[in-house]
Amino acid sequence: MAILEVQALSKRFEELEVLRQIDFSLEAGEALSIIGSSGSGKTTLLRCLNFLETPDAGRVLVHGETVFDAAETKKLSEAALRRRRLHFGLVFQNFNLFPQYTALENVRLAGLLLAKERPDFREKRKEIVAELNERAMFLLTDMGLADRAGHYPHQLSGGQQQRVAIARALALEPDILCFDEPTSALDPELTGEVLRVIRSLAEQRTTMIIVTHEMAFARDVADRAIFMDGGVIVEQGPAKEVIDHPREERTRQFLSRYGGLS
Amino acid sequence: MIGTVLGALNQGFLKTLQLFGVTLLGAIPLGLLISFGSMSKFQPLRWLTRTVVWIVRGTPLMLQLIILYYVPGQIMDASPWPMGENGRFLASAIAFIFNYACYFSEIFRGGIEGVPKGQREAGQVLGMTRGQIFFRVELMQMVKRIVPPISNEIITLVKDTSLARIIAYEELIKAGYDFLKGSHGYSGLLWPLFFTGVYYLLFSGLLTIAFNKTERRLDYFKV
């Protein structure tokens, strides 16, 4: 069974239809890249999955369980919404690290706040905090940032900040990790370190959706690719096919404009 | 003579401090409330709040003091203010609190709106509640942004308290000025008036040091 199923998702801002009848699914351990020009709806799609926007129509299922249904009229409680959104993690284009916390604190904060709601938090406080610290440190080490754990965001390069942000998203162990143009805000010489991290996550079979303008990366790292234009999915399939041998004319035009790929 | 003058000036300074302290205590929470009003999604409330802020910030505090203290007594049969110094203090405090709350509200609004939207969104996708996002993520960034402009306003407030003299509140400058026209058996004394400046300088100097310290304590991160 697919880990994620998106059914007929639609979203409009006033008169503008940003997403029209989006359908796709994702298997566990699969990496999916979403490509398309600016304004094609890629980012809105990720924001809908992460409950930052509310779709006007459609459904989202995770592990076969409905986490969003536009037909569901009653408003969810904050607690229910939180439980559902924790299926997803999101890495933003411009990192959005919390500036007043160190790298380690950034990674640990959300987990700590969740742990505080556990009934046994008071008695086991020390163990829980130690565990969270250890986990955060493990993730930072994995990102190659062990020696930066005590640094504040402004003391880190863009590439380092984005890797902290990835560790922060991973700390909550989301079922599906989403990346919204993770290297677009970086200087060209810093994109490599972030792409390497995402590549290694793909090798560990992390379920991911990656919105990106890095075509070679989208092709090599992702198992499947979706090309979006004007709020619809124009073409989807194995990443290598969609990017190297697109069937649709619109996909071909887009790829030729992005250049570099035959 | 010096003892008498200093005694009277200290007395006046105490009254200045009282007005200063009460204004701060009242204007900070009221300012926060007004800033919420001016950011409300409910449009009539937003317009109403912003109009009030415009009027209060757009007219002299001295005018507001005079109107608040004298006009009710003209319209009604008797002045609603308690007799004497208590009434003058109460009227001054209300005028000052409301006036400064309006200035503070604009600073708070700037501080709140200045926190990038992405900070809240990052908190949301990490499953934080609204309260957690406000207290754990946004508040410190807001505080850091508003410390410099609030410090400025507070220093201004130290000196603005002297405006209460217009309704004969016996604050520091009135105490000094009284020696010019006759007080405690002295008249024509010029130096007590000048000497009041020393009080203001010392007090605002202390505050400046405290604010600088606060700013430095928030230097560990950048927004």
Side-chain angles (χ1 to χ4, degrees):
Chain A
M1 181 178 56
I3 192 169
L4 172 68
E5 273 176 82
V6 175
Q7 300 173 347
L9 211 64
S10 298
K11 171 74 183 169
R12 57 163 65 237
F13 293 121
E14 317 261 311
E15 288 307 295
L16 189 69
E17 275 195 293
V18 205
L19 295 176
R20 270 184 293 172
Q21 301 279 324
I22 299 294
D23 281 287
F24 71 92
S25 65
L26 193 63
E27 299 295 324
E30 225 179 16
L32 168 73
S33 56
I34 303 181
I35 56 172
S37 47
S38 312
S40 59
K42 323 179 289 290
T43 293
T44 306
L45 176 57
L46 277 199
R47 290 174 60 84
C48 284
L49 293 179
N50 282 278
F51 297 86
L52 293 175
E53 306 286 352
T54 311
D56 301 311
R59 295 206 301 162
V60 177
L61 290 83
V62 175
H63 294 302
E65 174 206 348
T66 303
V67 296
F68 174 81
D69 188 346
E72 202 177 73
T73 46
K74 71 171 175 16
K75 221 170 169 239
L76 282 176
S77 70
E78 192 172 44
L81 182 64
R82 285 167 71 203
R83 256 197 315 280
R84 292 180 179 198
R85 78 185 333 152
L86 285 175
H87 289 296
F88 296 89
L90 178 59
V91 174
F92 296 86
Q93 184 176 342
N94 40 15
F95 334 135
N96 291 336
L97 290 181
F98 306 132
Q100 71 269 43
Y101 295 120
T102 63
L104 186 81
E105 288 166 341
N106 262 282
V107 177
R108 195 188 57 182
L109 179 65
L112 190 60
L113 294 174
L114 284 173
K116 280 188 175 164
E117 289 167 22
R118 282 166 51 173
D120 59 348
F121 181 74
R122 282 190 164 202
E123 5 169 344
K124 293 192 184 161
R125 187 192 176 92
K126 270 197 175 151
E127 301 154 50
I128 293 175
V129 171
E131 221 171 88
L132 284 166
N133 275 338
E134 200 181 315
R135 165 119 184 102
M137 203 56 220
F138 170 80
L139 285 165
L140 285 174
T141 308
D142 225 28
M143 297 291 138
L145 293 168
D147 57 337
R148 294 285 184 274
H151 285 54
Y152 288 91
H154 76 274
Q155 299 167 319
L156 300 171
S157 74
Q160 290 169 337
Q161 288 190 51
Q162 191 60 301
R163 284 184 281 151
V164 174
I166 294 172
R168 181 175 71 172
L170 284 169
L172 294 179
E173 299 178 334
D175 296 315
I176 300 139
L177 184 55
C178 304
F179 293 86
D180 184 14
E181 302 189 22
T183 59
S184 293
L186 296 175
D187 291 334
E189 72 268 24
L190 297 177
T191 58
E193 56 189 79
V194 171
L195 295 181
R196 262 196 303 282
V197 163
I198 303 174
R199 191 184 296 266
S200 93
L201 289 175
E203 281 158 9
Q204 296 161 41
R205 309 310 297 166
T206 310
T207 312
M208 295 190 288
I209 302 176
I210 310 159
V211 167
T212 182
H213 287 299
E214 304 268 346
M215 291 310 140
F217 180 74
R219 177 190 57 193
D220 298 341
V221 168
D223 304 291
R224 290 196 308 121
I226 283 178
F227 169 66
M228 283 181 71
D229 190 29
V232 296
I233 294 179
V234 175
E235 183 165 351
Q236 60 175 312
K240 286 184 181 51
E241 263 173 51
V242 172
I243 293 170
D244 285 342
H245 309 288
R247 293 185 306 270
E248 300 289 330
E249 183 53 33
R250 273 199 280 177
T251 319
R252 270 197 287 275
Q253 277 175 4
F254 167 78
L255 287 166
S256 70
R257 262 187 289 126
Y258 259 84
L261 288 164
S262 50
Chain B
M1 178 179 75
I2 291 183
T4 317
V5 171
L6 286 185
L9 292 187
N10 283 343
Q11 201 53 212
F13 184 56
L14 200 67
K15 296 225 170 186
T16 291
L17 277 185
Q18 277 169 358
L19 183 54
F20 172 81
V22 163
T23 303
L24 271 193
L25 282 181
I28 288 176
L30 183 60
L32 202 58
L33 217 65
I34 295 175
S35 75
F36 291 147
S38 69
M39 291 183 292
S40 167
K41 285 194 180 116
F42 183 56
Q43 215 177 46
L45 178 63
R46 201 170 63 227
W47 282 352
L48 180 73
T49 328
R50 292 195 180 187
T51 309
V52 169
V53 169
W54 171 61
I55 292 170
V56 171
R57 294 203 313 163
T59 56
L61 175 53
M62 188 186 280
L63 178 64
Q64 293 161 16
L65 267 167
I66 295 173
I67 291 176
L68 187 71
Y69 189 62
Y70 292 115
V71 170
Q74 300 290 320
I75 300 171
M76 293 181 265
D77 294 338
S79 171
W81 302 110
M83 291 289 286
E85 194 64 358
N86 281 342
R88 291 192 282 268
F89 175 72
L90 193 61
S92 305
I94 291 173
F96 269 82
I97 287 174
F98 205 64
N99 183 278
Y100 269 80
C102 286
Y103 280 95
F104 286 169
S105 78
E106 287 297 283
I107 294 174
F108 292 149
R109 183 160 72 92
I112 294 169
E113 291 179 342
V115 177
K117 190 173 70 150
Q119 291 289 307
R120 192 178 62 235
E121 291 181 348
Q124 283 175 328
V125 297
L126 290 167
M128 293 186 201
T129 63
R130 279 174 183 221
Q132 288 169 341
I133 291 171
F134 181 75
F135 288 108
R136 299 299 193 116
V137 175
E138 296 178 314
L139 186 61
M140 276 303 272
Q141 300 179 39
M142 218 184 99
V143 168
K144 186 178 168 81
R145 271 166 211 277
I146 65 176
V147 166
I150 286 280
S151 310
N152 239 333
E153 286 299 323
I154 292 176
I155 302 272
T156 306
L157 172 62
V158 174
K159 296 162 292 167
D160 269 4
T161 51
S162 60
L163 287 171
R165 184 193 177 287
I166 201 67
I167 58 169
Y169 179 60
E170 290 166 4
E171 47 68 57
L172 181 55
I173 290 199
K174 185 169 187 312
Y177 184 74
D178 282 351
F179 282 100
L180 202 60
K181 49 166 223 195
S183 159
H184 299 85
Y186 297 100
S187 78
L189 279 187
L190 200 53
W191 72 267
L193 188 56
F194 279 92
F195 197 71
T196 59
V198 175
Y199 284 82
Y200 290 109
L201 277 176
L202 287 179
F203 188 47
S204 53
L206 278 178
L207 287 175
T208 306
I209 292 171
F211 293 141
N212 285 345
K213 256 196 173 146
T214 314
E215 272 185 56
R216 248 178 292 130
R217 280 183 64 175
L218 292 169
D219 253 358
Y220 69 93
F221 73 97
K222 293 210 162 37
V223 289

